[in-house]
Amino acid sequence: MRFFVLLSLLFHPLVTFAAKQPNVILVMADDMGYGQTGYYNHPVLQTPNLDAMAANGIRFDRFYAGAPNCSPTRATVLTGRTNDRTGVHNHGYAINKQEKTIAQAFQKAGYSTAHFGKWHLNGLRGPGAPIFKEDAHHPGHLGFDYWLSVTNFFDMNPILSRNGVWEEHGGDSSEVVVNEALDYIRGENEKGKPVFVVIWYGTPHSPFMAYESDAKRFDNLNPASRDHYAELVAMDRSIGNLRKELRDFGRADNTILWFNSDNGGLGNIKPGTVGGLRGFKNSVYEGGLRVPAIVEWPAHIKPQISTYPACTMDIFPTLIDFAGLSKKQINKVADGTSLSKVINSDLSARPTPIGFRHTGRAAWIDNNYKLITLKVGSGEYELYDLKTDPTEQHNLLTDRPDVAKQMIKAFETWNTSVERSRLGADYSSGKVDPFPRPQQTDLMTLPEYQKHFDEWIKRPEFKPYIERQLKKQQK
């Protein structure tokens, strides 16, 4: 009996502390536009589970992806820094391993950490393929204890890599990774361990593949749009399952669940994806950057709708506050700010602007005003008032020279800082460690993947890429 009491005393503090630490789950869609939710009254798409999540948490109506396409935004989530500081200048670039990541911060706080789904931070282009255990930039090297991941977008019946071991799974990709994540969360929580889990969907990125039962409601649309929207139906259902299971095993109240998309919607999908905003994916106009975002934490967040300008760079600083992480775990040169004081408040004015830099273009948002340059260094700018002109139709550069002058000066100071970071100034060595292969390498050119061509050419997500590569080799 004395032995049992002694064990109880020894282990009780750990269990109590773990119980107080919130689970944290970051969920991100792939190419879902700002307008593609039921709560924004999309004309054909219903998202009852996202709508329920929005009604029970904080819905950010001015939330921005850190960049207008995938890999760069993923880097901003992991680091709290704009993508060009981290080495991820475009899709298919690898993140600098010298970066301090949010997953590493949670590891050091005693969390179990896991990544599920699309990775796209290991320097490869092409369709999503399972990641090799030998890949020097797999999720395990950036702070994840456990990973079930793929290089890029993934679809129906995906082939995924579980800590380097390849597996074929059956079913919709969104539902597959959510079910796997739930198994992981249950297992770790039963051990008394809080979790930091990242779920990065491949939905609704092309190629569009969906259950017929989900697609038939969109039979009046063109084939691509039909299956694109059907993918979103399945993704929404997976979110409903995630929320339900968290409630069923008593973890929902103390779980921070954060949903957003990685960039703006696609221009070739009808009805539209961006809610009438200007531009689409790969644009620094609103349609390329503004995305749906919801944060739910039932024990702490009251239902509200916020117009506060926020972004993916804010995720890391916010979770430092919410989860009690060490502020030393984020790079001192960060671009995000904590939203902890915004949530459960009526704050709408952001104290510091949000900067974006992507493939030679940039944007600078200072609350209602937005400065854009389509060629950094050219001295050519556009200025918009997003409060009165949310679709960016009226360039105010000459009408408001006072605002333009102040914003251009602030942007150029920030841009100089980003350029220093790009060259490695924020790292202890003062330089960026070299990446072992060319950035944006087409994985179809790598012998280790070509070994699987005979099998993969039968799969629709790989077939066009393999056929293209085989034609190149025949020339």
Side-chain angles (χ1 to χ4, degrees):
M1 182 67 179
R2 288 183 62 192
F3 180 69
F4 177 79
V5 171
L6 179 60
L7 283 176
S8 299
L9 290 172
L10 283 171
F11 288 103
H12 179 70
L14 176 63
V15 174
T16 302
F17 182 64
K20 292 180 180 178
Q21 291 176 288
N23 287 328
V24 179
I25 306 172
L26 303 183
V27 181
M28 189 156 67
D30 190 8
D31 288 357
M32 181 184 186
Y34 178 75
Q36 291 185 295
T37 64
Y39 62 76
Y40 285 142
N41 300 313
H42 191 275
V44 300
L45 178 66
Q46 296 179 345
T47 55
N49 296 295
L50 277 175
D51 297 355
M53 183 178 168
N56 196 50
I58 180 168
R59 185 184 99 188
F60 284 99
D61 283 357
R62 284 193 62 195
F63 192 89
Y64 293 90
N69 68 14
C70 49
S71 303
T73 293
R74 292 165 207 282
T76 69
V77 172
L78 292 188
T79 66
R81 288 153 51 87
T82 195
N83 54 284
D84 271 4
R85 296 191 196 273
T86 73
V88 187
H89 308 301
N90 200 353
H91 64 96
Y93 273 76
I95 188 171
N96 296 333
K97 286 172 75 173
Q98 295 149 283
E99 287 291 323
K100 294 181 176 182
T101 74
I102 190 171
Q104 292 165 345
F106 273 102
Q107 274 184 330
K108 290 175 181 177
Y111 277 70
S112 296
T113 61
H115 175 272
F116 297 87
K118 178 172 176 174
W119 181 236
H120 216 196
L121 289 170
N122 60 338
L124 295 176
R125 297 180 72 174
I131 302 172
F132 284 100
K133 186 177 183 178
E134 297 77 19
D135 192 310
H137 268 69
H138 67 56
H141 291 295
L142 277 300
F144 292 98
D145 302 319
Y146 183 93
W147 45 282
L148 183 69
S149 309
V150 65
T151 59
N152 197 352
F153 54 83
F154 60 112
D155 293 275
M156 191 72 71
N157 305 320
I159 305 173
L160 305 173
S161 177
R162 190 186 302 273
N163 291 351
V165 178
W166 294 12
E167 303 172 347
E168 184 169 352
H169 294 255
D172 176 82
S173 62
S174 299
E175 295 179 303
V176 166
V177 291
V178 163
N179 287 336
E180 288 283 346
L182 283 166
D183 286 345
Y184 179 82
I185 294 165
R186 284 191 201 95
E188 295 304 304
N189 282 179
E190 286 171 0
K191 298 174 189 175
K193 294 269 289 183
V195 299
F196 171 69
V197 168
V198 170
I199 302 171
W200 284 348
Y201 292 129
T203 295
H205 195 293
S206 63
F208 309 122
M209 301 167 63
Y211 290 125
E212 181 60 28
S213 56
D214 291 330
K216 63 184 180 181
R217 71 187 74 181
F218 306 110
D219 277 345
N220 60 323
L221 305 182
N222 66 62
S225 299
R226 174 183 186 267
D227 289 341
H228 173 92
Y229 280 111
E231 282 196 14
L232 283 168
V233 169
M235 187 199 79
D236 182 75
R237 185 168 58 241
S238 76
I239 290 168
N241 184 44
L242 176 61
R243 296 178 69 244
K244 176 184 181 298
E245 290 298 312
L246 289 171
R247 291 193 301 270
D248 286 352
F249 59 90
R251 296 294 187 268
D253 283 352
N254 200 31
T255 294
I256 300 170
L257 180 58
W258 194 313
F259 173 86
N260 59 270
S261 182
D262 66 341
N263 50 246
L266 304 177
N268 62 334
I269 298 299
K270 306 298 177 184
T273 62
V274 297
L277 299 174
R278 181 178 178 179
F280 299 95
K281 176 183 178 180
N282 289 317
S283 166
V284 292
Y285 292 103
E286 289 290 282
L289 292 170
R290 196 189 295 196
V291 295
I294 308 164
V295 186
E296 185 179 29
W297 189 12
H300 295 272
I301 295 178
K302 300 175 183 177
Q304 67 180 117
I305 298 173
S306 176
T307 58
Y308 183 94
C311 62
T312 52
M313 288 80 83
D314 297 336
I315 295 174
F316 194 168
T318 303
L319 293 178
I320 286 175
D321 288 345
F322 279 168
L325 307 180
S326 169
K327 288 181 167 59
K328 295 180 180 179
Q329 299 307 317
I330 191 171
N331 195 298
K332 291 181 180 179
V333 182
D335 297 283
T337 61
S338 175
L339 303 176
S340 59
K341 293 182 180 179
V342 177
I343 294 170
N344 295 335
S345 80
D346 59 359
L347 291 175
S348 60
R350 186 183 179 95
T352 57
I354 306 172
F356 308 86
R357 205 176 87 157
H358 184 263
T359 60
R361 303 158 301 153
W364 185 249
I365 294 176
D366 191 350
N367 290 298
N368 291 331
Y369 285 104
K370 181 177 178 182
L371 186 76
I372 288 176
T373 178
L374 300 180
K375 187 177 181 181
V376 173
S378 67
E380 298 176 359
Y381 294 96
E382 302 168 20
L383 177 66
Y384 299 97
D385 183 343
L386 297 177
K387 184 175 183 179
T388 61
D389 181 25
T391 58
E392 298 167 296
Q393 300 298 308
H394 307 291
N395 185 356
L396 300 176
L397 195 71
T398 57
D399 295 341
R400 293 301 309 269
D402 54 333
V403 175
K405 181 179 179 180
Q406 179 271 324
M407 290 189 70
I408 290 170
K409 181 179 179 181
F411 163 72
E412 291 182 348
T413 298
W414 175 82
N415 187 59
T416 299
S417 167
V418 174
E419 192 60 22
R420 288 196 300 267
S421 299
R422 184 184 70 82
L423 298 174
D426 306 336
Y427 305 139
S428 59
S429 65
K431 61 182 180 181
V432 175
D433 290 344
F435 188 61
R437 61 174 174 246
Q439 296 278 14
Q440 294 187 303
T441 292
D442 183 350
L443 66 83
M444 291 288 139
T445 66
L446 298 178
E448 57 264 42
Y449 282 111
Q450 290 179 348
K451 293 177 182 178
H452 301 274
F453 277 9
D454 289 346
E455 177 186 355
W456 288 358
I457 200 168
K458 303 170 187 175
R459 299 176 63 99
E461 71 270 34
F462 292 117
K463 187 173 188 291
Y465 294 91
I466 293 174
E467 289 178 340
R468 191 179 308 137
Q469 181 61 30
L470 292 175
K471 286 181 180 178
K472 288 180 181 178
Q473 293 175 353
Q474 292 169 358
K475 290 182 179 179

